[in-house]
Amino acid sequence: MAVRVLVGCKRVIDYAVKIRVKPDRTGVETQNVKHSMNPFDEIAVEEAIRLKEKKVAEEIVAVSCGPEKCQETLRTALAMGVDRAVHVQVDQKEYESLQPLAVAKLLCKVIEKEKINLVILGKQAIDDDANQTGQMTAALLGWPQATFASQITLVDDKLEVVREVDGGLETIRVNMPAVVTADLRLNEPRYATLPNIMKAKKKPMQKLTASDLGVDVSPHYEVLSVEDPPQREAGTKVDSVDDLVAKLKEKGVL
Ligand code: AMP
């Protein structure tokens, strides 16, 4: 079976950046802040490349929906080993309210055009923590989904996926075509080497818009406010274990 893989590559604020809420509480500061590929998408890209190295996958297409800068994220995926990239252009303002349902609809159109039969997305994007796009994409396509994957194997044209579930692992088998979402332990993504970064500059990147794909990306919910987490209160020092026990009793913990 010729497996054609689509991987999602969302450009998000880098995981190491300290997030700042905008003074008007409408969202978080994104200007002049380091961005990178969503970490779970790096894992999805790595898995697709490993499937290609095992001669299971034939071609890998990376897709990013968002502003111009998403092309940098796609170049990273190309440098890691993806064959081609598709940038679905969404301007910065629209991107701020681009929701999983709209992304799922955009991905579905690309999946159709590219004759994809395996979709690997991250389990969630670390900016909005929605954990919805993979599930919605599978539902829109009417394909089976295997979420939170920590192992993927193709067995007789079916996918065997080990899933991370509360307190353990679950192994399921799904028919192809299918949508898989990558969890943290699926693999350790490779770094792009300098020669591959150079080669990636010559790999094809197609540019499309939401209207080219006939998708309405207007939001389905409105964000009312974004708040910082509550400040941690200062602790108290105790002089002895007896003091500690007394304090805990006082607070009703013991
Ligand atoms: P979410 O449902 O927002 O938590 O995102 C789950 C996964 O969907 C991400 O890890 C990506 O693989 C994919 N995804 C979400 N938004 C985008 C986007 N704008 N462009 C490409 N892929 C995306």
Side-chain angles (χ1 to χ4, degrees), residues 8-10 38 41 63 65 103 121-122 124-125 128 130-133:
C9 295
K10 186 174 189 188
N38 181 42
D41 297 354
V63 182
C65 313
V103 176
L121 303 182
Q124 75 191 58
D128 56 19
N131 174 234
Q132 293 171 5
T133 311

Side-chain angles (χ1 to χ4, degrees), residues 78-99:
L78 291 167
M80 285 172 76
V82 159
D83 299 296
R84 287 192 301 116
V86 176
H87 175 211
V88 182
Q89 294 166 306
V90 177
D91 68 39
Q92 183 59 38
K93 189 89 205 88
E94 256 181 336
Y95 187 55
E96 280 165 22
S97 62
L98 186 71
Q99 292 167 3

Side-chain angles (χ1 to χ4, degrees), residues 13 28 32 36 61 88 130 158 174 176 180 189-190 202 211-212 219 228 250 254:
I13 294 180
V28 300
N32 304 319
S36 343
V61 181
V88 182
K158 289 181 198 286
V174 294
M176 294 269 281
V180 177
R190 70 194 64 192
K202 295 205 181 86
S211 56
D212 289 337
D228 271 315
E250 200 182 294
L254 282 182

Side-chain angles (χ1 to χ4, degrees), residues 113-168:
K113 272 164 79 82
E114 298 286 346
K115 306 206 166 15
I116 297 297
N117 53 3
L118 176 60
V119 178
I120 313 179
L121 303 182
K123 73 163 176 180
Q124 75 191 58
I126 62 163
D127 52 0
D128 56 19
D129 276 344
N131 174 234
Q132 293 171 5
T133 311
Q135 294 86 332
M136 287 177 169
T137 306
L140 291 171
L141 294 164
W143 292 3
Q145 55 179 287
T147 50
F148 310 108
S150 65
Q151 197 181 306
I152 304 174
T153 327
L154 188 76
V155 185
D156 301 331
D157 288 357
K158 289 181 198 286
L159 272 190
E160 244 179 54
V161 179
V162 179
R163 305 183 59 236
E164 304 228 358
V165 290
D166 268 356

Side-chain angles (χ1 to χ4, degrees), residues 12-19 34-37 39 42 126:
V12 296
I13 294 180
D14 188 88
Y15 72 93
V17 167
K18 188 167 176 342
I19 304 290
K34 184 180 177 213
H35 282 67
S36 343
M37 191 189 306
E42 287 184 352
I126 62 163

